[in-house]
Amino acid sequence: MPVCPRHPDRESYVRCQRCGRPACPECQRPAAVGIQCVDCVREGARTVRQGRTVFGGAPTDGRPLVTMWVIGICVVVFVLQQLVPGLTGRISFVPVLGDSQPWRFLSSGFAHGGLTHIAFNMYALWVMGQYLEPLLGRARFAALYLLSAVGGSVGLLLLASPQTVPECLVTRGAWCTSAVGASGAVFGLFGAFLVLQRRLGRSAAGMYVVIGLNAVIGFVLPNIAWQAHLGGLVTGAAAAGIVGYLGGRRSPAEQPRRTVHWLGLGALLALLVVLAVAKYALA
């Protein structure tokens, strides 16, 4: 008398169309033709080629989770800035301190200087993240954001004129002035949007207007680090160029394409590090 291999106490007269073993009602799964057992269904699922986004990322369920996490971290850090004395000074980016305290290159991108500052940046991040994160996949979007944040700090560093400590006490130029905010990373998302829209053959005319207005504001209003905006914009565009153009948009060799993407993003991070080290060496 045939019995189910998973439930030997049950008589099973229906056989799996794939392996031929008996399967009780609990272990039967409807297939295109006949019935398959749960083991064969599970095995088949492992061999099915997983879908990918247009740029090779893992598909998402539509929710911008990375975007929401970044916004949440920025809000928590902003609250801590109000509660913990001296926290802003310890995590802001100051070019003169970057060589001895390199975490500032990234930590400054999660701190903000006021309620209006964080509100504007988080709104821009939410708008861009809802579009870019599903397009790139969560891992690539996270890499894009973090690289752009670091790139903003590197841009500020490269465009600041080195000063000695006595000079800092007198003039306090960009070399000795602290900067905070996700603006560099947000501009990186702007740059990535331009590149990816062009790669997809879509219009990005509205974004040129947004970038132009923000560029003008950066020069007109005081206490805005336009150098970080420029650094983030260039870094984000470069990261999007790597993802959008290396390996092809719909290459049949998915794994090699993904490897090329991550190697390219790693090379971009290495370039940022080299530029920062060279600036400090020549200062």
Side-chain angles (χ1 to χ4, degrees):
M1 183 178 299
V3 296
C4 176
R6 296 170 61 87
H7 303 95
D9 58 329
R10 303 177 187 177
E11 299 178 14
S12 306
Y13 294 96
V14 176
R15 293 183 178 274
C16 173
Q17 296 295 315
R18 186 171 181 178
C19 67
R21 297 183 301 170
C24 69
E26 185 178 339
C27 297
Q28 296 172 13
R29 298 293 183 270
V33 178
I35 296 295
Q36 290 187 8
C37 66
V38 291
D39 294 326
C40 288
V41 171
R42 187 181 300 110
E43 181 63 28
R46 284 199 293 264
T47 60
V48 173
R49 185 169 176 266
Q50 298 297 316
R52 288 279 162 180
T53 68
V54 67
F55 293 115
T60 70
D61 57 3
R63 295 181 301 164
L65 289 181
V66 174
T67 302
M68 290 189 288
W69 270 102
V70 172
I71 292 175
I73 293 173
C74 288
V75 171
V76 170
V77 172
F78 181 72
V79 172
L80 291 176
Q81 287 178 257
Q82 316 311 310
L83 300 177
V84 181
L87 177 61
T88 302
R90 293 195 293 270
I91 62 177
S92 60
F93 180 69
V94 188
V96 71
L97 300 176
D99 56 342
S100 59
Q101 301 173 6
W103 67 82
R104 293 176 179 267
F105 280 89
L106 182 59
S107 64
S108 59
F110 295 94
H112 290 83
L115 190 58
T116 303
H117 190 200
I118 188 174
F120 175 81
N121 281 340
M122 295 304 98
Y123 172 75
L125 172 58
W126 176 249
V127 172
M128 298 305 301
Q130 288 187 89
Y131 178 75
L132 291 175
E133 187 173 335
L135 186 67
L136 295 172
R138 286 169 181 152
R140 283 166 177 75
F141 178 77
L144 166 65
Y145 185 87
L146 296 175
L147 281 171
S148 299
V150 174
S153 298
V154 172
L156 177 58
L157 170 68
L158 295 179
L159 295 175
S161 299
Q163 293 179 290
T164 62
V165 174
E167 291 173 338
C168 286
L169 296 176
V170 176
T171 61
R172 293 197 62 81
W175 188 257
C176 311
T177 302
S178 63
V180 293
S183 303
V186 169
F187 266 78
L189 300 185
F190 290 165
F193 179 84
L194 296 178
V195 173
L196 296 179
Q197 288 294 92
R198 182 177 181 82
R199 182 70 174 103
L200 295 171
R202 302 172 183 172
S203 174
M207 185 54 66
Y208 288 106
V209 176
V210 172
I211 294 175
L213 290 175
N214 280 274
V216 172
I217 292 174
F219 286 101
V220 174
L221 297 181
N223 302 321
I224 294 181
W226 62 267
Q227 305 94 325
H229 295 178
L230 179 61
L233 181 71
V234 172
T235 303
I242 292 170
V243 174
Y245 288 89
L246 291 186
R249 189 149 57 94
R250 288 187 175 90
S251 170
E254 289 291 342
Q255 186 59 43
R257 179 172 68 159
R258 296 199 294 272
T259 302
V260 169
H261 286 174
W262 289 111
L263 288 176
L265 294 174
L268 179 58
L269 176 60
L271 176 61
L272 293 175
V273 173
V274 169
L275 291 174
V277 170
K279 177 69 175 184
Y280 283 119
L282 298 175

